[in-house]
PDB file of all heavy atoms in Angstrom:
ATOM      1  N   GLU A 139      41.642 -49.969  15.634  1.00 98.00           N
ATOM      2  CA  GLU A 139      41.008 -51.271  15.495  1.00 98.00           C
ATOM      3  C   GLU A 139      40.033 -51.274  14.324  1.00 98.00           C
ATOM      4  O   GLU A 139      39.883 -52.285  13.630  1.00 98.00           O
ATOM      5  CB  GLU A 139      40.307 -51.652  16.793  1.00 98.00           C
ATOM      6  CG  GLU A 139      39.703 -53.045  16.801  1.00 98.00           C
ATOM      7  CD  GLU A 139      40.737 -54.177  16.748  1.00 98.00           C
ATOM      8  OE1 GLU A 139      41.889 -53.962  17.177  1.00 98.00           O
ATOM      9  OE2 GLU A 139      40.376 -55.278  16.280  1.00 98.00           O
ATOM     10  N   SER A 140      39.402 -50.146  14.081  1.00 98.00           N
ATOM     11  CA  SER A 140      38.491 -50.043  12.933  1.00 98.00           C
ATOM     12  C   SER A 140      39.223 -50.251  11.619  1.00 98.00           C
ATOM     13  O   SER A 140      38.681 -50.847  10.686  1.00 98.00           O
ATOM     14  CB  SER A 140      37.813 -48.677  12.894  1.00 98.00           C
ATOM     15  OG  SER A 140      36.671 -48.684  13.695  1.00 98.00           O
ATOM     16  N   VAL A 141      40.419 -49.720  11.544  1.00 98.00           N
ATOM     17  CA  VAL A 141      41.207 -49.925  10.331  1.00 98.00           C
ATOM     18  C   VAL A 141      41.413 -51.419  10.124  1.00 98.00           C
ATOM     19  O   VAL A 141      41.189 -51.952   9.028  1.00 98.00           O
ATOM     20  CB  VAL A 141      42.562 -49.200  10.418  1.00 98.00           C
ATOM     21  CG1 VAL A 141      43.430 -49.564   9.226  1.00 98.00           C
ATOM     22  CG2 VAL A 141      42.366 -47.699  10.502  1.00 98.00           C
ATOM     23  N   VAL A 142      41.813 -52.112  11.176  1.00 98.00           N
ATOM     24  CA  VAL A 142      42.003 -53.557  11.078  1.00 98.00           C
ATOM     25  C   VAL A 142      40.698 -54.229  10.674  1.00 98.00           C
ATOM     26  O   VAL A 142      40.665 -55.095   9.789  1.00 98.00           O
ATOM     27  CB  VAL A 142      42.477 -54.147  12.418  1.00 98.00           C
ATOM     28  CG1 VAL A 142      42.614 -55.663  12.329  1.00 98.00           C
ATOM     29  CG2 VAL A 142      43.797 -53.517  12.842  1.00 98.00           C
ATOM     30  N   ASN A 143      39.635 -53.809  11.304  1.00 98.00           N
ATOM     31  CA  ASN A 143      38.357 -54.460  11.066  1.00 98.00           C
ATOM     32  C   ASN A 143      37.971 -54.376   9.602  1.00 98.00           C
ATOM     33  O   ASN A 143      37.630 -55.367   8.967  1.00 98.00           O
ATOM     34  CB  ASN A 143      37.279 -53.804  11.932  1.00 98.00           C
ATOM     35  CG  ASN A 143      36.095 -54.704  12.187  1.00 98.00           C
ATOM     36  OD1 ASN A 143      36.238 -55.923  12.285  1.00 98.00           O
ATOM     37  ND2 ASN A 143      34.911 -54.131  12.294  1.00 98.00           N
ATOM     38  N   VAL A 144      38.060 -53.169   9.072  1.00 98.00           N
ATOM     39  CA  VAL A 144      37.607 -52.925   7.713  1.00 98.00           C
ATOM     40  C   VAL A 144      38.601 -53.459   6.686  1.00 98.00           C
ATOM     41  O   VAL A 144      38.214 -53.944   5.634  1.00 98.00           O
ATOM     42  CB  VAL A 144      37.373 -51.407   7.542  1.00 98.00           C
ATOM     43  CG1 VAL A 144      37.414 -51.022   6.096  1.00 98.00           C
ATOM     44  CG2 VAL A 144      36.059 -51.007   8.171  1.00 98.00           C
ATOM     45  N   ALA A 145      39.881 -53.408   7.019  1.00 98.00           N
ATOM     46  CA  ALA A 145      40.886 -53.826   6.033  1.00 98.00           C
ATOM     47  C   ALA A 145      41.073 -55.339   6.002  1.00 98.00           C
ATOM     48  O   ALA A 145      41.434 -55.888   4.970  1.00 98.00           O
ATOM     49  CB  ALA A 145      42.217 -53.150   6.329  1.00 98.00           C
ATOM     50  N   GLN A 146      40.851 -56.001   7.106  1.00 98.00           N
ATOM     51  CA  GLN A 146      41.278 -57.396   7.208  1.00 98.00           C
ATOM     52  C   GLN A 146      40.161 -58.422   7.344  1.00 98.00           C
ATOM     53  O   GLN A 146      40.347 -59.571   6.974  1.00 98.00           O
ATOM     54  CB  GLN A 146      42.228 -57.574   8.405  1.00 98.00           C
ATOM     55  CG  GLN A 146      43.519 -56.802   8.280  1.00 98.00           C
ATOM     56  CD  GLN A 146      44.423 -57.332   7.184  1.00 98.00           C
ATOM     57  OE1 GLN A 146      44.196 -58.405   6.640  1.00 98.00           O
ATOM     58  NE2 GLN A 146      45.438 -56.569   6.813  1.00 98.00           N
ATOM     59  N   ARG A 147      39.046 -58.031   7.903  1.00 98.00           N
ATOM     60  CA  ARG A 147      38.078 -59.076   8.220  1.00 98.00           C
ATOM     61  C   ARG A 147      36.968 -59.139   7.187  1.00 98.00           C
ATOM     62  O   ARG A 147      36.510 -58.114   6.698  1.00 98.00           O
ATOM     63  CB  ARG A 147      37.528 -58.833   9.619  1.00 98.00           C
ATOM     64  CG  ARG A 147      38.641 -58.892  10.671  1.00 98.00           C
ATOM     65  CD  ARG A 147      38.128 -59.101  12.082  1.00 98.00           C
ATOM     66  NE  ARG A 147      38.163 -57.879  12.843  1.00 98.00           N
ATOM     67  CZ  ARG A 147      39.130 -57.558  13.712  1.00 98.00           C
ATOM     68  NH1 ARG A 147      40.156 -58.367  13.916  1.00 98.00           N
ATOM     69  NH2 ARG A 147      39.067 -56.429  14.366  1.00 98.00           N
ATOM     70  N   PRO A 148      36.512 -60.339   6.881  1.00 97.00           N
ATOM     71  CA  PRO A 148      35.384 -60.479   5.967  1.00 97.00           C
ATOM     72  C   PRO A 148      34.110 -59.937   6.612  1.00 97.00           C
ATOM     73  O   PRO A 148      34.051 -59.746   7.834  1.00 97.00           O
ATOM     74  CB  PRO A 148      35.290 -61.988   5.751  1.00 97.00           C
ATOM     75  CG  PRO A 148      35.983 -62.591   6.918  1.00 97.00           C
ATOM     76  CD  PRO A 148      37.028 -61.617   7.355  1.00 97.00           C
ATOM     77  N   ALA A 149      33.117 -59.716   5.786  1.00 98.00           N
ATOM     78  CA  ALA A 149      31.921 -58.989   6.205  1.00 98.00           C
ATOM     79  C   ALA A 149      31.290 -59.523   7.489  1.00 98.00           C
ATOM     80  O   ALA A 149      30.972 -58.756   8.400  1.00 98.00           O
ATOM     81  CB  ALA A 149      30.899 -59.000   5.077  1.00 98.00           C
ATOM     82  N   LEU A 150      31.117 -60.809   7.568  1.00 98.00           N
ATOM     83  CA  LEU A 150      30.412 -61.385   8.719  1.00 98.00           C
ATOM     84  C   LEU A 150      31.177 -61.136  10.006  1.00 98.00           C
ATOM     85  O   LEU A 150      30.625 -60.728  11.026  1.00 98.00           O
ATOM     86  CB  LEU A 150      30.220 -62.888   8.500  1.00 98.00           C
ATOM     87  CG  LEU A 150      29.277 -63.576   9.480  1.00 98.00           C
ATOM     88  CD1 LEU A 150      27.864 -63.064   9.321  1.00 98.00           C
ATOM     89  CD2 LEU A 150      29.315 -65.090   9.290  1.00 98.00           C
TER      90      LEU A 150
END
Side-chain angles (χ1 to χ4, degrees):
Chain A
E139 185 67 26
S140 274
V141 173
V142 177
N143 203 33
V144 159
Q146 297 292 349
R147 299 198 256 261
L150 191 65

